[in-house]
Amino acid sequence: MPKESVGYAILREWIQRGSPPPNPNDPQVVELTVTPARVTLKVGTKIELRVKARFADGHERDVTTWARYDTNSGAIITVDESGAALARGSGQAAVSAAYQNLVAAVDVTVPFATSE
């Protein structure tokens, strides 16, 4: 984690406060959405995913940089830790974004090239 990153600053501050456990009164995440929810891409196309969390108290927060990403087919689409997804091959796949205890998915279609 780079020293100049927001994540580093948050972690450093938490450690300086004595690494307290989560506060049971903190609002819990009740919904997670990732956009786009469905996408059709050409091989070689890159898109940036965005992840939004809605909390029990009603507020929403962009958690794109804090989400964890995975794909069910790296041969079709890959995704990095920042949510940048790259279409690598033709077919259908899913990309999942997880934050705290929730997961949202993107359905990805990469059509086969046609010869015209």
Side-chain angles (χ1 to χ4, degrees):
M1 180 180 304
K3 283 187 172 185
E4 56 279 345
S5 71
V6 173
Y8 184 91
I10 290 171
L11 185 58
R12 184 182 64 230
E13 179 184 323
W14 176 70
I15 291 169
Q16 289 172 341
R17 290 185 291 126
S19 310
N23 183 336
N25 296 323
D26 286 343
Q28 299 298 306
V29 177
V30 295
E31 182 179 21
L32 192 67
T33 56
V34 59
T35 54
R38 180 169 297 198
V39 65
T40 300
L41 302 170
K42 292 181 181 180
V43 172
T45 303
K46 191 173 191 178
I47 61 165
E48 301 291 330
L49 303 176
R50 291 287 168 244
V51 183
K52 188 185 334 178
R54 186 172 56 82
F55 293 80
D57 65 358
H59 84 275
E60 295 181 347
R61 179 181 306 152
D62 183 326
V63 295
T64 302
T65 58
W66 305 109
R68 296 174 314 279
Y69 301 94
D70 197 12
T71 178
N72 68 341
S73 180
I76 297 171
I77 191 151
T78 56
V79 61
D80 68 16
E81 66 279 347
S82 70
L86 173 64
R88 295 195 164 281
S90 299
Q92 290 186 304
V95 173
S96 63
Y99 178 74
Q100 291 189 6
N101 62 334
L102 297 179
V103 177
V106 177
D107 293 321
V108 179
T109 301
V110 183
F112 290 92
T114 59
S115 55
E116 294 182 32

